[in-house]
Each structure stands twice: as structure tokens, then as C-alpha cells.
Amino acid sequence: MTALSDPLALPCGQVLPNRLMKAALSEGLGSPEFGPDERLDRLYRRWGAGGFGLIVTGNVMVDRAQLGEPGNVVVEDERHLADLRRWAETAKAGGARIWMQINHPGRQANPLATRTQPVAPSAIGLDLPGVPAPRALTDAEIVDIVGRFATTARIAEAAGFDGVQIHGAHGYLVSQFLSPLANQREDRWGGDAEGRARFVLEVARAIRAEVSDSFAVAIKLNSADFQRGGFTEDESREVVRRLAAERLDLIEISGGSYESPAMMGRPVARSASTAAREAYFLEYARSVRAVAGAVPLAVTGGFRTRAAMDAAVESGECDVVGLGRPSALVPGAAGDLLHGRTARLRSPRVSLRLPAAMTTLAGIKAVEGALDLQWHTDQLHRIGAGIEPDPERTAWFTAATMLKRNGIDAFRSRRSSTVNQKPKDPTLRKFELERAVGRYVANPTVRAMSRLGIRTSFATDLETTGRKSGRTRVVPVSVAFDDTGAWVISQHGTRSGWAANIGAEPKVRVRQGNQWRTGTAELRPSDDVVARARTFAPNPLFAGLTAATFRALQSTPVSVRITFTD
């Protein structure tokens, strides 16, 4: 009978000292030059001493022009080889194996960390607010990315890592190629399930050809996308069957994407029996066991008790139990379980505790999924800073740090340490911050309120005509209505897209309560914008706060007068 404490021999010849794996968690602790620094050393020293048989790093990107989030480590050449060696040695000091998870974000490239247009199998964007549409990759670019994965794996081996894990789940590029929703190509990289699987197979083959036989090559694969018309369990099983012939050493089962975060258990309705067994994807792992052949399986997501982990391994449904979010709160979680110091791991469900009617909205699910991830990332940042995790940290405090990290910090130049680098224009930085607030906080909030029928005169919708596209463009704005029209403040003058649209076509519509009003808009640069901002307060007592909020986000503000014509 197999136990959690038993070693596991892998096809490449490596032996994991036990069956507990620290699953990948994106740390966001890379240096401004995209390398690992002392914060990652501190974090991995804790995990290395935490009793895990295997430690898998968070996202390491294969292309510095395409990042999943601010703070990614990027390995595309040997410039950080010494730092990578230190990272690997630190993690292995406690006896664990260390594998580097390697990834390309594709259309999930973070728009605040990536300065170029995202790329993807097809020019199909995410159904998430503020994420720009990608452009379709050319055949030559796809071949180049395959080579990048292989190069990153080669450097990881040179740095002392024991293996790599291809990130083929959660909606990143490999997962996008597999999904018929994201991949609608008609060439050799798409067209049907076989064509969509070509990319991941070529990546696995290229890596295996580049590294030694004793170096582990693994993959994290979606059981399904959990989206209608997406990658299905049947298709996933077929991909597993084909990957099993590519000399892989471990297949980790997960599922979902940022549009449908099943990896966090949010959109999945689970039966009582599944809930009792805890793991989100254990039933799928059991169904895929036969086609995986001799390749061991790992399951991550939902495990919290020693009893459920024991049962999963003893039954043979999986060979390795992955622990993700619990390890952010308790870096020594594996040792605590194996040595009987705990029978249950703590990992709170992070939520803004919004009204029940709002939590059913797809946009709110995505926001809360991102918030949950960020809450746990905050714990990693605390450990990286040399302080203990804080299980009592509030979700709202995390929301503030998420805005800071993905708003203010993400706009700082990634090459700010370069000698000749010019400091970023403060006006441009304010514009970028305000745009981030609009995309990731104000816009989703106003849209969610609108779906629920909640109306407010302070936050409403403005419809303009795109000066280039000729299409209508609706943006949430703050408005002060009066008898003949309304006032709006363009916080960045004509740098704001909607204000530039007004310059080309002054006819607009603005929603007042439940009614759309038609009017003519005019920029009023002579208006006292400071005094105007005070009039936007819903109550005179808040005039100062309202004005200060506008001032904090604006750069070259100008008042806009809308005169009703209906």
C-alpha cells in the first residue's frame, strides 16, 4: 500500500523523497531585470526546509516581451545563470527536488507588464475587462516559441534545477493552442484536435531533445477549460495519451482559466462525494490513469486533510499530491502533515463578501478569483521580505495592494536601473495609473452595478463615436447633472480616448438613471476644473475628498460640457 511518505521513482531515474509537491504559485518576485533575487531565495529556503518531496517554481517566462504578471522571472539566455544557480541550490538544500515551471502567457499577457501586443494562436481576446485583443502568431513565430521553451529548459538544467514543468493549463499559451475557443487556425497548428495538440507535442519533444536523459520533463495540463465549446475532458485524455509517448516524467492535472477559474474551485458545482474527497480533479485523474501509462500523475487543487491525501495516493488515483495555496500560509505544510503535526491545512477562501446577487456575475467571479490569487501572492511577498504570513489579512487590503502592484508598480520601467534610462514623465505615469483604475476597478464595478439595476448619477456611462473605427464606445465616467445637461471631467485632456473622440464627433449619449440622454459635448479648457471637481461630490461634506480623488489621478484635466439636445 502506497503512503504519502513513500519515495517515487520517475521515468528519468530521479527519485522524489515523498509524494507531496509544492505546486506552482506565481511569486511576482523577479528583479527589475527579470532575474531571481534575495526575496526568492528567502521564500524557497522556507519551502526547501518544508518537507516537500518536489518543489515546482511559479511562472518563469520564456520571452521578456510577453509577461504573465509584473515581477515574472524570465529565462531566455544565460545572463542570470549565477542567480539561477543560487536559487536552485537554496531550494534543494533541504533535500527536495526543484523543477522550474516554464510558460508563455499568450493572450493572457498582463497589459500592465507587457509593453507589446499580446500574441495567441488566433486573434481572439479574453472575455475579461481591460485585456487587449491579441494578434495571431505566424508559423515562424510559433516555431520560435517552441525553441524558446527548449532554450529555457537547457539553461534551467545548467543552473542546477532538476527538471522543468511545461505550463499547459489555466489559459496560458499552450492551453490556448489546445482550446477550440482560442485556436481557430486552419494551418498545421489548428483545424482539428490533432492540429491543436501539435504545439504542446512539439514543445515537449524540443525540450527532451535539448536536455539530458536524467533531467525531468513534466507538464501541467487542464482536464478541461470549463467553458462551453472549450477544451473537453475527452480531448484532454487524448492529449495525455499522446504526451505519454514523449518520455514525460509527471503529468499534473488541473483545470480552468482566468475566465473560468476552476483551479480555485469557484465555478465548479461539486457532488457531495467529490467534496468529501476534496480534490477538484481527482475523478478526472482516475479516468485518465489508463491512457497515461507509466507516467505518474499529480493532482493539485482542493486537498486540505491528511486523510484525503492518503486516500488519493493509496487508491492509486494519483501518485503525487500537489499543495498550492496552503503552502503560501504554511511553508512547512508537507513536514507538518508527514510528521503528524497537523491533520488539516488552512487556506481561507478570500472574498469581498459582496451581495449574493453580484457574486453570480461572471465578471465578479473573475475579479474574486484574481483577488484570491493576489491574497496568497501577498503572503509570498511577506515571506520573501523576511516576515511571517498573515492569515488575518483582509480581502479589501489585498485589493488595495493588487491595484498598487498592478497599477503603480507595474508602470515603473522594468529597466529603471539602467544608467541612461530617463525617468518616466509623472504626467504619463498618472495617466497610466488612472487607466488601470478605470479598467480594473471602476469599469467592472459600474458594469456589475448596471446589470443589477443599480443606478447612480455619480458613476454612469458615456457613449461616444470612435474617431478611427466609427463605432460607438461606451465608457464609465463620473457625471454631475443639471437641468440642461451635464458636466464631465476628462482627467487627461485629449489623451483620454473618449475626449479625443468628442473632438472628432461632439454628438454623444449619456445615461441618466435608466434613461439615455442625447447631447452635444464640448471641451471647456477655460473652466475651473478644481472647483468643478468639488461639485461632483454626492454630498457637500465629501466635496474635498472628491476633489482630492480627481487630483490624485489626473494629469492635464479639462472640463467637458454636455448640452442635452433631446
Side-chain angles (χ1 to χ4, degrees):
M1 185 172 63
T2 305
L4 280 178
S5 57
D6 288 346
L8 174 64
L10 302 178
C12 68
Q14 286 184 31
V15 177
L16 305 182
N18 62 59
R19 305 302 182 98
L20 288 173
M21 172 181 75
K22 197 290 293 177
L25 294 169
S26 190
E27 311 93 355
L29 290 172
S31 71
E33 293 77 28
F34 307 105
D37 61 17
E38 67 278 358
R39 296 172 299 165
L40 276 173
D41 292 344
R42 292 191 194 102
L43 176 59
Y44 278 79
R45 185 174 295 110
R46 294 288 299 275
W47 278 331
F52 293 97
L54 173 62
I55 297 172
V56 182
T57 74
N59 284 329
V60 172
M61 295 294 159
V62 301
D63 185 350
R64 65 184 53 222
Q66 300 286 334
L67 303 178
E69 50 269 320
N72 280 149
V73 172
V74 180
V75 177
E76 56 183 10
D77 52 41
E78 297 186 354
R79 73 184 72 184
H80 300 302
L81 188 58
D83 294 330
L84 292 169
R85 283 176 175 153
R86 187 188 66 244
W87 185 13
E89 290 170 359
T90 299
K92 294 199 294 185
R97 295 285 186 173
I98 174 75
W99 294 356
M100 180 188 290
Q101 184 186 75
I102 56 179
N103 192 12
H104 189 296
R107 66 178 186 172
Q108 285 187 172
N110 188 300
L112 304 179
T114 298
R115 304 303 185 188
T116 57
Q117 184 180 9
V119 294
S122 302
I124 300 171
L126 288 169
D127 186 21
L128 291 175
V131 180
R135 66 172 179 82
L137 287 159
T138 66
D139 184 272
E141 288 174 323
I142 295 171
V143 173
D144 175 72
I145 293 173
V146 170
R148 285 178 176 273
F149 274 94
T151 296
T152 301
R154 174 181 58 79
I155 296 169
E157 183 175 22
F161 286 82
D162 298 303
V164 293
Q165 182 192 67
I166 304 163
H167 199 333
H170 301 173
Y172 291 107
L173 185 64
V174 173
S175 181
Q176 290 162 33
F177 269 97
L178 291 169
S179 172
L181 289 178
N183 182 357
Q184 297 182 7
R185 303 177 71 96
E186 295 297 332
D187 61 4
R188 61 177 178 148
W189 304 102
D192 56 18
E194 183 175 353
R196 294 196 303 272
R198 184 184 303 276
F199 181 74
V200 66
L201 292 169
E202 290 298 325
V203 168
R205 291 165 185 163
I207 291 173
R208 181 46 78 194
E210 193 75 16
V211 299
S212 66
D213 291 343
S214 60
F215 187 75
V217 180
I219 188 167
K220 186 169 192 169
L221 187 70
N222 268 6
S223 60
D225 289 343
F226 296 94
Q227 291 177 279
R228 184 171 298 171
F231 188 56
T232 68
E233 289 193 0
D234 287 341
E235 289 175 322
S236 180
R237 274 186 284 270
E238 177 58 21
V239 172
V240 169
R241 185 190 66 78
R242 299 181 68 183
L243 284 170
E246 301 299 333
R247 293 190 293 157
L248 293 185
D249 295 286
L250 186 70
I251 298 174
E252 180 187 354
I253 303 300
S254 190
S257 67
Y258 290 115
E259 290 177 291
S260 180
M263 61 282 197
M264 304 176 69
R266 289 184 179 269
V268 180
R270 296 189 290 163
S271 65
S273 61
T274 300
R277 296 162 74 232
E278 299 180 356
Y280 308 143
F281 310 110
L282 199 55
E283 290 184 6
Y284 169 81
R286 180 176 57 199
S287 74
V288 85
R289 167 62 76 186
V291 297
V295 181
L297 297 178
V299 173
T300 300
F303 281 114
R304 294 296 179 267
T305 66
R306 170 70 189 262
M309 298 175 206
D310 282 332
V313 172
E314 289 173 3
S315 68
E317 291 171 307
C318 69
D319 302 286
V320 174
V321 168
L323 299 176
R325 286 173 291 165
S327 70
L329 274 181
V330 184
D336 289 347
L337 289 166
L338 292 173
H339 297 294
R341 291 190 290 268
T342 188
R344 176 182 290 274
L345 299 175
R346 179 181 181 185
S347 183
R349 184 185 176 101
V350 179
S351 170
L352 293 174
R353 302 184 185 279
L354 297 171
M358 291 188 69
T359 60
T360 61
L361 299 173
I364 296 299
K365 287 180 181 178
V367 168
E368 290 212 324
L371 186 66
D372 196 321
L373 288 172
Q374 188 62 60
W375 187 91
H376 287 87
T377 300
D378 286 348
Q379 309 298 341
L380 304 186
H381 281 234
R382 290 177 65 88
I383 300 171
I387 55 181
E388 290 300 308
D390 177 15
E392 305 305 321
R393 186 181 184 87
T394 68
W396 286 104
F397 190 69
T398 288
T401 61
M402 183 165 67
L403 175 61
K404 179 179 185 296
R405 184 172 298 130
N406 293 282
I408 300 172
D409 290 353
F411 292 124
R412 292 176 180 157
S413 172
R414 300 294 296 179
R415 295 176 175 82
S416 58
S417 60
T418 304
V419 174
N420 296 322
Q421 182 73 27
K422 293 181 179 180
K424 180 170 282 190
D425 180 359
T427 298
L428 178 58
R429 182 174 296 170
K430 272 193 172 185
F431 169 62
E432 291 173 328
L433 173 59
E434 188 273 336
R435 184 171 59 179
V437 172
R439 283 181 176 177
Y440 297 102
V441 180
N443 297 16
T445 299
V446 171
R447 287 170 186 146
M449 291 171 63
S450 296
R451 292 191 190 103
L452 294 173
I454 300 172
R455 298 287 186 257
T456 171
S457 62
F458 181 69
T460 189
D461 291 317
L462 174 69
E463 181 184 282
T464 64
T465 302
R467 60 197 180 282
K468 296 180 180 179
S469 66
R471 298 177 181 177
T472 59
R473 180 176 180 233
V474 178
V475 293
V477 292
S478 297
V479 177
F481 289 99
D482 54 40
D483 293 338
T484 61
W487 287 96
V488 187
I489 294 177
S490 174
Q491 293 169 291
H492 307 286
T494 55
R495 185 181 270 144
S496 293
W498 65 265
N501 290 346
I502 286 171
E505 174 52 74
K507 293 180 180 179
V508 300
R509 292 203 310 159
V510 61
R511 182 172 50 74
Q512 184 178 20
N514 293 316
Q515 179 185 5
W516 280 94
R517 303 294 303 273
T518 302
T520 300
E522 178 189 3
L523 298 176
R524 296 278 185 89
S526 60
D527 186 63
D528 185 346
V529 74
V530 176
R532 183 67 58 194
R534 298 179 67 89
T535 69
F536 279 66
N539 186 295
L541 294 175
F542 298 108
L545 176 61
T546 301
T549 302
F550 273 98
R551 187 169 59 252
L553 295 175
Q554 67 196 14
S555 56
T556 53
V558 61
S559 299
V560 178
R561 177 61 185 175
I562 298 174
T563 302
F564 292 147
T565 57
D566 53 11

